[in-house]
Amino acid sequence: NFLHDLPKKEATYGKAYMVVTDSSIMDEMMDDLVKKRSEQQGRRLHPEAPTMIAKICTLGGELWMGPVPTTGRLGKIMEMNPSIQICCFKKSPTEIMVDDDDADSYGVLLPDTEYFKLEMSNGQVRKQDLRKLRTPLLTSMRQGDNAYVHCVTGLCRAAIGGALLAALLMDEEISCSMSR
């Protein structure tokens, strides 16, 4: 397998795990991740399950993408053991109602996580949000902690925000000047 022959940028923190600044861990997992893809594209009321989009540690260090957490979705999202919640829209998740006909469908903040906003619809705010998020995200994930990035459905803003964050984690140069 040619992936195993590629040079890895890595550092060892303690003896427990290795941290990389490239896509080598994800490359090795790709065949398995493809098999876990949802058969149907998610929608607002019936979103896809959260998806791992980056991994930088052999133990933990995972970036997950998915829909806004609600009380009903909380159990599945918490299985990923996130320590950081990253919301890709302007409002707090608690101000978002997934189903206008269901008062129990408001978004929630993930328990025992640090909350960050990465507003994808405003380039100036996005730059500021990314500056605030960068160091805590890198530090936390390099220690093996996991992060969860979301929008309402997990398909639009979270995908763009997740791509920015994955590039950041993989030590790629990124630009926040793109328009939506």
Side-chain angles (χ1 to χ4, degrees), residues 49-60:
T51 303
M52 186 191 317
I53 57 173
K55 183 169 176 64
I56 61 168
C57 298
T58 52
L59 297 174

Side-chain angles (χ1 to χ4, degrees), residues 25-124:
I25 293 174
M26 286 297 291
D27 292 342
E28 292 175 11
M29 298 175 63
M30 200 54 66
D31 288 339
D32 188 46
L33 291 173
V34 168
K35 292 175 190 170
K36 293 179 181 178
R37 285 195 55 150
S38 180
E39 292 185 22
Q40 291 192 342
Q41 181 175 339
R43 299 180 317 278
R44 184 179 184 107
L45 298 180
H46 302 286
E48 295 177 29
T51 303
M52 186 191 317
I53 57 173
K55 183 169 176 64
I56 61 168
C57 298
T58 52
L59 297 174
E62 300 168 351
L63 178 63
W64 290 81
M65 174 184 76
V68 63
T70 62
T71 303
R73 300 172 183 167
L74 198 55
K76 187 70 174 169
I77 293 169
M78 294 308 291
E79 286 176 14
M80 292 162 274
N81 195 27
S83 61
I84 293 178
Q85 176 179 357
I86 305 161
C87 175
C88 291
F89 41 81
K90 184 177 183 175
K91 295 179 179 180
S92 165
T94 59
E95 298 174 58
I96 298 297
M97 192 176 209
V98 176
D99 182 353
D100 294 335
D101 296 326
D102 181 1
D104 291 330
S105 71
Y106 274 101
V108 298
L109 294 174
L110 298 177
D112 302 319
T113 63
E114 191 170 356
Y115 172 77
F116 289 92
K117 182 175 65 86
L118 182 58
E119 187 180 336
M120 297 309 299
S121 58
N122 182 325
Q124 290 300 336

Side-chain angles (χ1 to χ4, degrees), residues 20-22 54 56 63 86 118 129-139 141-142 160-176:
V20 298
T21 57
D22 62 13
I56 61 168
L63 178 63
I86 305 161
L118 182 58
D129 290 346
L130 195 56
R131 274 190 222 108
K132 292 176 191 171
L133 171 61
R134 184 180 191 279
T135 299
L137 178 70
L138 289 172
T139 302
M141 289 189 66
R142 286 177 179 163
I160 296 167
L164 280 171
L165 297 173
L168 181 71
L169 293 169
M170 302 301 165
D171 207 22
E172 299 288 332
E173 193 166 321
I174 59 173
S175 171
C176 292

